[in-house]
Amino acid sequence: MDVSLARTFLTVVSTGSFVTAADKLNITQTAVGARIKALEDQLGRPLFVRNKSGARLTAAGERFVRHATILVQTWEAARQQIKLPSGRAEGVGVGAELSLWEPSMTNWLVWMHRQRPDVAIRVEVDCAARLLDSVHAGSLDIAVLHNPPQQQDLVVELLYDERLVLVTTAEDGRLRPDNYILVDWGPAFAVNARAAGATPVDPPLSINFGPLARAYMMAVGGAGYFRLRSVQAHLAEGRLRRVADAPEFAHSIYLVYAARHDHELVDVIRASLRESFAGQ
């Protein structure tokens, strides 16, 4: 079977639409339809029921999801192992959500450089949705994410209990609504912070990327919720202060990897990430 057929099938499954799948794969809707038709001809069963709202899996399509996932993941693993650079015995692909590149993933890369110089590493920093798609497709072995959704054939494993804390540059440690920076830590944080009355209403500035918000705050002053790990150095230096009695919020970090994996290095990477995060 052409692996591109299975990959196209999984893209339609994840998007729920031939049109959206075509945009995602950068091919025409006609090409998507032709690939699905070829796949259905090979399997001898219809895989989708198309309607105005998109595409719905048939019973045969539901059964094929698992097999298509394994097929694509096996192909990607083989492709990556075969093209290893000289001097490397194994290879691994690891993805990380945008806000985790510093310092967490930087520290892990240093750990790997010192402890496993025989491993070729490919790191992708991207949004959670695309990283999940890459793990599902097999082009990434593991992704490190905040609060990922449960998905079929993927394991979601707690890596580290992160906390979001309210900090300020003000010397008196008090929160001033006029210089509060709203950092987008996802819908769970937004709901919980609003319910606790922890964030000012209609703040003057909102940023959806933690490192950018922190850099801005350190440059011009202000306050906001940040991952404790990312501001600990500034707190120790006295450049930032915790806002007294402000509630903390969970923002845990998870590993996501394929439920079926026979790549022993994945287990090594899981252990090394755990050791690296725990030692920070």
Side-chain angles (χ1 to χ4, degrees), residues 133-153:
D133 285 346
S134 295
V135 175
H136 229 298
S139 59
L140 286 178
D141 296 294
I142 290 183
V144 185
L145 305 170
H146 282 118
N147 302 319
Q150 295 288 338
Q151 289 199 7
Q152 187 176 9
D153 296 316

Side-chain angles (χ1 to χ4, degrees), residues 11-273:
T11 304
V12 175
V13 172
S14 66
T15 61
S17 163
F18 279 53
V19 175
T20 309
D23 290 340
K24 195 167 187 177
L25 293 169
N26 198 28
I27 58 177
T28 65
Q29 184 180 349
T30 301
V32 170
R35 290 183 183 181
I36 297 301
K37 179 65 167 57
L39 186 55
E40 291 176 330
D41 288 344
Q42 290 184 31
L43 294 172
R45 292 288 188 278
L47 300 174
F48 292 101
V49 175
R50 299 177 67 173
N51 50 47
K52 292 182 179 180
S53 61
R56 177 175 55 82
L57 283 168
T58 63
E62 292 278 4
R63 292 193 295 271
F64 185 61
V65 169
R66 175 173 170 272
H67 299 289
T69 300
I70 294 171
L71 176 65
V72 173
Q73 289 174 346
T74 301
W75 167 254
E76 287 293 340
R79 188 173 63 86
Q80 291 178 37
Q81 290 299 312
I82 287 171
K83 67 175 187 178
L84 284 175
S86 177
R88 296 294 189 271
E90 298 181 275
V92 67
V94 180
E97 204 167 338
L98 290 166
S99 62
L100 289 171
W101 73 271
E102 187 276 326
S104 303
M105 292 306 297
T106 304
N107 292 344
W108 175 75
L109 281 171
V110 172
W111 189 98
M112 287 294 292
H113 173 75
R114 293 170 178 168
Q115 303 295 328
R116 293 299 304 267
D118 61 315
V119 176
I121 302 171
R122 179 171 55 86
V123 174
E124 293 185 12
V125 178
D126 209 333
C127 67
R130 280 198 286 265
L131 292 174
L132 283 170
D133 285 346
S134 295
V135 175
H136 229 298
S139 59
L140 286 178
D141 296 294
I142 290 183
V144 185
L145 305 170
H146 282 118
N147 302 319
Q150 295 288 338
Q151 289 199 7
Q152 187 176 9
D153 296 316
L154 296 184
V155 176
V156 176
E157 176 184 329
L158 180 65
L159 174 63
Y160 187 83
D161 280 320
E162 184 71 275
R163 289 181 295 158
L164 296 174
V165 297
L166 184 58
V167 297
T168 179
T169 57
E171 293 186 2
D172 60 8
R174 294 182 179 179
L175 175 64
R176 293 177 175 79
D178 61 336
N179 70 1
Y180 177 78
I181 304 165
L182 177 61
V183 185
D184 181 7
W185 295 112
F189 167 75
V191 170
N192 292 332
R194 190 180 304 115
T199 57
V201 178
D202 298 325
L205 176 63
S206 61
I207 300 176
N208 71 343
F209 186 44
L212 173 60
R214 188 185 69 235
Y216 173 83
M217 179 179 66
M218 298 308 300
V220 305
Y225 270 94
F226 293 90
R227 293 182 297 117
L228 179 59
R229 184 188 302 263
S230 71
V231 295
Q232 276 180 326
H234 296 312
L235 290 168
E237 294 167 359
R239 299 181 64 197
L240 288 176
R241 294 158 188 82
R242 295 278 297 269
V243 175
D245 300 323
E248 299 179 358
F249 299 97
H251 196 60
S252 299
I253 302 169
Y254 293 84
L255 295 177
V256 181
Y257 55 92
R260 290 175 59 91
H261 67 278
D262 51 9
H263 191 184
E264 292 183 4
L265 187 56
V266 171
D267 294 329
V268 173
I269 299 305
R270 288 168 57 208
S272 65
L273 282 164

